[in-house]
Amino acid sequence: MQSGSDFYPVLIGQSGPLNGERWVIRGPMVIGRGEDCDIMIPDRKISRHHARVQPGNEGIVLEDLNSKNGTHYNGHPLKGSVTLADGDLIQIALAQKFTYLSSDATIPLEFDAPVDADLEKRRLKMDKRSRRVWASGKEIIPPLSVAQFTMLELLYNRDGLVVPREELVKAIWGEEEAYGVSDQALDALVRRLRDRLAEVDKGHEYVITVRGHGIRMDNPQLET
């Protein structure tokens, strides 16, 4: 990892539910099925906490967390942990593959920050391709978990309209898993998302519960 620069290692989804998505590795990140994971993969073959990537003395370390169906590294079962090299292929059970790149400088960012003229004036901004979020001009680091980002993105795109709870659950957990998701699980995710936003902007509540209807986002224009 390049200290003191904007270049960080990245994981890119190559196949599976997260195909085409990308995560910047700025700190420890847990991969698994659990909603509290930094990279959440909605597949029953994935353990709740399946694997972890984190900075080590020699680079980014991949570790299997005693998963049921295993983690593969360049086609070989991973036992314990390994330091990743540029271009390594990671497979989580049989459900999701990732490519590891040692620096996001190797991939062109289509957006270093949101460029929509209207959204530039808003208090909260998102960039889906780099999975970055800014609140009141400050970036949320470490990045939101997949579940948190998915919820925020749906609310963000509706631009103040109420999103029914059922729609949020299906978007976050998927059609097959949605029937087993309790109201308490969604409420817990909402609280965690609010907490993450408050880390960089305590002066505004972005995620609003509309009782009996659903959840909406309050994303006003920045004061000038």
Side-chain angles (χ1 to χ4, degrees), residues 63-83:
E63 176 187 7
D64 183 81
L65 300 178
N66 297 315
S67 64
K68 180 179 179 180
N69 291 317
T71 301
H72 283 69
Y73 158 76
N74 291 336
H76 301 287
L78 176 63
K79 303 296 183 182
S81 62
V82 64
T83 299

Side-chain angles (χ1 to χ4, degrees), residues 15-91:
S15 65
L18 307 182
N19 184 37
E21 297 193 39
R22 184 179 73 169
W23 295 264
V24 179
I25 306 173
R26 293 185 174 93
M29 301 182 72
V30 175
I31 305 169
R33 194 181 77 251
E35 64 183 51
D36 58 334
C37 290
D38 301 290
I39 302 177
M40 187 183 77
I41 308 171
D43 191 295
R44 291 187 179 277
K45 294 186 288 294
I46 306 291
S47 297
R48 188 163 296 277
H49 295 153
H50 196 106
R52 177 170 51 221
V53 290
Q54 62 184 342
N57 293 333
E58 303 297 327
I60 299 299
V61 175
L62 170 67
E63 176 187 7
D64 183 81
L65 300 178
N66 297 315
S67 64
K68 180 179 179 180
N69 291 317
T71 301
H72 283 69
Y73 158 76
N74 291 336
H76 301 287
L78 176 63
K79 303 296 183 182
S81 62
V82 64
T83 299
L84 295 171
D86 192 47
D88 280 346
L89 181 66
I90 300 165
Q91 185 168 354

Side-chain angles (χ1 to χ4, degrees), residues 10 42 57 84 91 109 112 170 192 201 206 215 222:
V10 294
N57 293 333
L84 295 171
Q91 185 168 354
L109 279 176
D112 278 338
K170 289 180 181 179
R192 285 195 293 273
D201 188 3
Y206 292 94
I215 300 170
L222 285 168

Side-chain angles (χ1 to χ4, degrees), residues 162 165 187 190 194 205-217:
V162 174
R165 294 173 67 90
D187 290 339
V190 169
R194 286 174 176 155
E205 186 169 344
Y206 292 94
V207 181
I208 309 297
T209 298
V210 182
R211 297 195 179 279
H213 296 280
I215 300 170
R216 68 175 179 86
M217 170 173 278

Side-chain angles (χ1 to χ4, degrees), residues 14-206:
Q14 293 296 297
S15 65
L18 307 182
N19 184 37
E21 297 193 39
R22 184 179 73 169
W23 295 264
V24 179
I25 306 173
R26 293 185 174 93
M29 301 182 72
V30 175
I31 305 169
R33 194 181 77 251
E35 64 183 51
D36 58 334
C37 290
D38 301 290
I39 302 177
M40 187 183 77
I41 308 171
D43 191 295
R44 291 187 179 277
K45 294 186 288 294
I46 306 291
S47 297
R48 188 163 296 277
H49 295 153
H50 196 106
R52 177 170 51 221
V53 290
Q54 62 184 342
N57 293 333
E58 303 297 327
I60 299 299
V61 175
L62 170 67
E63 176 187 7
D64 183 81
L65 300 178
N66 297 315
S67 64
K68 180 179 179 180
N69 291 317
T71 301
H72 283 69
Y73 158 76
N74 291 336
H76 301 287
L78 176 63
K79 303 296 183 182
S81 62
V82 64
T83 299
L84 295 171
D86 192 47
D88 280 346
L89 181 66
I90 300 165
Q91 185 168 354
I92 306 298
L94 300 175
Q96 179 66 53
K97 291 181 180 179
F98 298 96
T99 295
Y100 170 78
L101 296 177
S102 59
S103 170
D104 64 359
T106 62
I107 314 171
L109 279 176
E110 290 204 22
F111 303 102
D112 278 338
V115 295
D116 183 275
D118 179 58
L119 293 180
E120 273 295 313
K121 303 172 185 176
R122 298 297 183 93
R123 188 160 179 153
L124 185 141
K125 307 178 185 72
M126 301 184 72
D127 178 3
K128 181 178 179 180
R129 291 185 179 274
S130 63
R131 306 189 68 81
R132 298 166 71 184
V133 177
W134 297 260
S136 195
K138 299 178 182 178
E139 185 174 0
I140 296 176
I141 297 175
L144 298 178
S145 70
V146 172
Q148 293 164 359
F149 191 93
T150 300
M151 172 180 283
L152 188 64
E153 182 184 15
L154 182 53
L155 297 172
Y156 181 83
N157 290 339
R158 294 296 173 87
D159 198 19
L161 298 177
V162 174
V163 180
R165 294 173 67 90
E166 296 80 5
E167 184 176 349
L168 283 165
V169 168
K170 289 180 181 179
I172 296 164
W173 281 276
E175 292 277 352
E176 293 183 1
E177 300 276 352
Y179 295 104
V181 176
S182 66
D183 286 342
Q184 290 81 1
L186 181 62
D187 290 339
L189 182 59
V190 169
R191 287 195 298 271
R192 285 195 293 273
L193 177 57
R194 286 174 176 155
D195 289 344
R196 291 304 314 277
L197 294 172
E199 289 174 8
V200 296
D201 188 3
K202 291 185 174 69
H204 185 73
E205 186 169 344
Y206 292 94

